[in-house]
């Protein structure tokens, strides 16, 4: 580490302590570096607007930042232990290239608002990606729901056969879930869409920084006004984003559970495309649904990341270096969650039902509820109809499709209300 921004005469640097302080920060900051560069440019533009930088100095800073950004994108500049963190790297490059002009960039800002703004821009992009993935999942599920609403399958409660249902009804559940998850992503995005840049170390600064204009240039919806709250929001907003990813992954966990059951020999409802299936190292006969199981497990690192940040946030107000420990979990949790979700649309599209197994799993008892309701409709009090319909002598192999068509309560297979779900999907897709 050659460049410590805060190094002063007479302060001895201990390499071992510095390594501990830096941790994996330089590596993690690679995630945020391009966002930090973007925010640095807008901070410099703000300094030019209030006369701290001349127009010419701003142009030179802008030029170096653009080149650095291109170098980072192309892999020509890699953040490493030469720097304490990404913030130091940007300033070091500016000073190296521009001398005193570079030495002006940090006027009126702190690494405390610098890390906040870079992380926040990163989070906003990840929430956009989350929304898009949820939209893709919802679209596949909704199309299949529309196609398959009258394809019978057993409906279970307590994992016991209950009533005739349909594969379309199964899909419709996931479709609406992912529409909701997409909305959750957008609402979370709106909630955290606040610019912390210009709050400096958490107490503001004795300069009339054009914070509103800087925030607009960075694409933020609003300015985070209180410098104290900007600091309080570190970790809190990361948790909110992880919760949004987690909401989707929680549905994925249950979907994957269904599929792991449905692909067993005992159920045999689903044929998994070979590319999602692995073999066993010892049992030549095995075909294992590992991809589904890892999807099921994917909620765990997301929830764990949220919990890790929650633990870090046991702090008084203001900046504390502890907050650096929010970066690892947020990157790991969100990247893992998005990678899992990215597999899902294609997996859902390629699932094939084994219709003969679905049919074979339907049994006469599964029409008992239809029968009880039919009797009640004829005027028999429901509790009496229930007793009559419980008699196995009254059960007969029924007409599964007829049962589905007759299920006309809105949202059920006879009146599935998919148009309303599609309208919400279209509204969140754009
Ligand atoms: N790496 C630090 C973090 O993530 C950057 C901010 C450092 N600020 C400070 N006052 N030491 O929090």
């Amino acid at each position: 580490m050659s460049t410590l921004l805060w190094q002063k005469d007479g302060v001895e640097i201990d390499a071992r302590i510095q390594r501990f302080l830096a941790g994996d920060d330089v590596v993690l900051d690679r995630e945020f570096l391009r966002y930090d560069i973007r925010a640095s440019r807008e901070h410099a533009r703000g300094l030019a607007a209030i006369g701290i930088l001349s127009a010419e100095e701003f142009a030179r800073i802008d030029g170096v930042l653009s080149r650095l950004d291109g170098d980072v994108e192309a892999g020509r500049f890699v953040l490493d232990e030469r720097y304490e963190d990404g913030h130091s790297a940007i300033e070091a490059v500016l000073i190296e290239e521009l001398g005193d002009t570079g030495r002006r960039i940090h006027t009126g800002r702190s690494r405390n608002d610098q890390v906040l703004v870079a992380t926040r821009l990163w989070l906003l992009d990840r929430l956009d990606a989350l929304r898009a993935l949820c939209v893709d999942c919802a679209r596949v599920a909704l199309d299949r729901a529309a196609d398959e609403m009258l394809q019978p399958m057993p409906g279970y409660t307590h994992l016991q056969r209950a009533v005739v249902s349909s594969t379309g009804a199964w899909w419709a559940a996931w479709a609406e879930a992912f529409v909701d998850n997409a909305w959750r992503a957008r609402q979370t995005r709106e909630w955290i869409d606040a610019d912390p840049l210009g709050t400096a170390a958490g107490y503001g600064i004795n300069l009339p920084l054009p914070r509103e204009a800087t925030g607009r240039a960075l694409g933020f919806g609003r300015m985070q006004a209180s410098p104290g709250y900007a600091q309080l929001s570190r970790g809190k907003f990361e948790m909110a984003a992880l919760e949004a990813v987690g909401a989707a992954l929680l549905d994925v966990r249950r979907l994957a559970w269904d599929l792991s059951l449905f692909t067993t020999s005992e159920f045999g409802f689903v044929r998994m495309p070979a590319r999602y299936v692995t073999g066993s190292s010892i049992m030549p006969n095995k075909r294992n649904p590992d991809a589904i199981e890892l999807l099921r497990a994917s909620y765990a690192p997301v929830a764990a990341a949220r919990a890790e940040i929650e633990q870090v946030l046991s702090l008084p107000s203001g900046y504390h270096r502890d907050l650096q420990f929010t970066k690892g979990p947020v990157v790991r949790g969100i990247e893992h969650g998005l990678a899992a979700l990215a597999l899902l649309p294609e997996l859902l599209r390629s699932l094939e039902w084994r219709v003969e197994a679905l049919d074979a799993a339907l049994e006469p008892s599964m029409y008992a509820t239809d029968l009880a309701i039919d009797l009640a409709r004829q005027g028999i009090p429901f509790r009496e109809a229930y007793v009559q319909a419980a008699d196995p002598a009254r059960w007969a192999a029924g007409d599964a499709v007829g049962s589905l068509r007759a299920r006309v309560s809105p949202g059920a297979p006879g009146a599935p209300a998919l148009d309303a779900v599609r309208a919400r999907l279209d509204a969140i897709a754009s």
Side-chain angles (χ1 to χ4, degrees):
M1 190 177 303
S2 64
T3 323
L4 290 174
L5 294 175
W6 42 266
Q7 206 162 344
K8 298 182 201 70
D9 290 346
V11 179
E12 205 184 310
I13 302 296
D14 180 306
R16 214 162 47 109
I17 296 173
Q18 283 314 315
R19 256 198 311 281
F20 176 71
L21 291 174
D24 43 10
D25 219 32
V26 268
V27 175
L28 286 169
D29 275 2
R30 290 175 192 169
E31 280 288 332
F32 305 109
L33 190 57
R34 298 190 64 206
Y35 296 97
D36 202 345
I37 293 170
R38 220 166 97 197
S40 295
R41 177 182 296 110
E42 295 315 320
H43 176 67
R45 199 189 305 279
L47 292 179
I50 59 171
I52 300 288
L53 293 172
S54 69
E56 196 244 322
E57 282 176 313
F58 170 68
R60 294 173 68 206
I61 287 174
D62 188 26
V64 173
L65 290 176
S66 294
R67 207 218 55 226
L68 178 61
D69 189 52
D71 286 351
V72 174
E73 188 181 16
R76 286 188 298 270
F77 181 93
V78 178
L79 193 58
D80 58 28
E81 287 69 24
R82 286 173 297 164
Y83 307 99
E84 189 182 5
D85 52 29
H87 324 303
S88 314
I90 293 171
E91 188 167 337
V93 168
L94 285 170
I95 292 172
E96 194 179 300
E97 307 243 344
L98 303 176
D100 277 352
T101 298
R103 288 188 186 90
R104 292 187 202 282
I105 181 71
H106 211 58
T107 315
R109 80 171 175 183
S110 158
R111 283 184 294 170
N112 298 356
D113 60 338
Q114 208 176 344
V115 64
L116 271 170
V117 70
T119 315
R120 187 120 343 139
L121 290 167
W122 184 92
L123 286 172
L124 293 175
D125 276 358
R126 295 305 173 283
L127 288 169
D128 283 338
L130 173 65
R131 180 175 57 88
L133 288 169
C134 290
V135 163
D136 289 349
C137 293
R139 220 179 268 298
V140 176
L142 195 56
D143 289 346
R144 294 200 66 166
D147 289 348
E148 301 175 22
M149 197 48 75
L150 296 178
Q151 167 58 57
M153 85 179 284
Y156 297 90
T157 70
H158 313 264
L159 274 181
Q160 309 290 323
R161 289 176 183 170
V163 295
V164 176
S165 185
S166 76
T167 60
W170 186 83
W171 285 117
W174 303 116
E176 196 166 350
F178 279 99
V179 168
D180 260 6
N181 295 330
W183 277 95
R184 174 87 179 258
R186 172 174 286 173
Q187 284 159 354
T188 305
R189 190 194 192 287
E190 273 171 21
W191 186 49
I192 72 166
D193 188 13
D195 180 17
L197 184 61
T199 57
Y203 299 93
I205 208 79
N206 46 337
L207 282 174
L209 293 173
R211 292 196 59 207
E212 291 279 7
T214 302
R216 271 195 305 277
L218 286 169
F220 281 107
R222 67 182 187 280
M223 181 179 89
Q224 201 168 19
S226 158
Y229 182 56
Q231 285 306 318
L232 287 174
S233 66
R234 185 158 182 207
K236 176 180 175 179
F237 284 11
E238 282 83 337
M239 281 170 66
L242 283 161
E243 282 156 22
V245 175
L249 265 291
L250 205 52
D251 285 321
V252 172
R253 178 156 87 177
R254 302 183 74 185
L255 173 75
W257 243 124
D258 275 10
L259 293 178
S260 82
L261 288 171
F262 291 170
T263 51
T264 57
S265 316
E266 282 69 16
F267 278 83
F269 289 173
V270 162
R271 223 186 317 270
M272 280 282 284
R275 61 187 179 282
Y276 295 108
V277 176
T278 62
S280 156
S281 64
I282 178 169
M283 297 171 282
N285 54 319
K286 291 301 299 292
R287 292 180 78 241
N288 298 323
D290 294 33
I292 286 174
E293 290 167 348
L294 286 173
L295 283 173
R296 181 169 61 196
S298 291
Y299 178 68
V302 177
R306 184 203 169 280
E308 199 175 331
I309 294 174
E310 190 177 24
Q311 292 307 312
V312 174
L313 291 190
S314 178
L315 291 170
S317 68
Y319 178 82
H320 308 273
R321 190 67 180 266
D322 311 49
L323 291 165
Q324 182 170 298
F325 273 10
T326 61
K327 273 198 281 199
V330 78
V331 170
R332 281 194 306 277
I334 290 194
E335 294 297 271
H336 185 86
L338 294 181
L341 281 168
L343 281 187
L344 207 57
E346 176 53 29
L347 174 75
L348 298 181
R349 204 175 289 120
S350 62
L351 286 184
E352 279 176 53
W353 298 107
R354 295 182 59 226
V355 171
E356 59 299 348
L358 295 175
D359 286 343
L362 301 175
E363 57 182 35
S365 70
M366 298 171 84
Y367 297 93
T369 307
D370 285 349
L371 176 60
I373 303 287
D374 280 341
L375 293 171
R377 204 164 34 190
Q378 289 158 28
I380 300 175
F382 178 75
R383 198 44 64 207
E384 168 59 22
Y386 175 97
V387 172
Q388 291 182 22
D391 179 1
R394 302 197 60 155
W395 300 344
D399 162 18
V401 173
S403 168
L404 292 170
R405 278 195 208 285
R407 203 86 52 79
V408 292
S409 60
L418 296 182
D419 288 350
V421 179
R422 191 167 300 276
R424 286 186 70 224
L425 173 59
D426 290 343
I428 194 63
S430 51

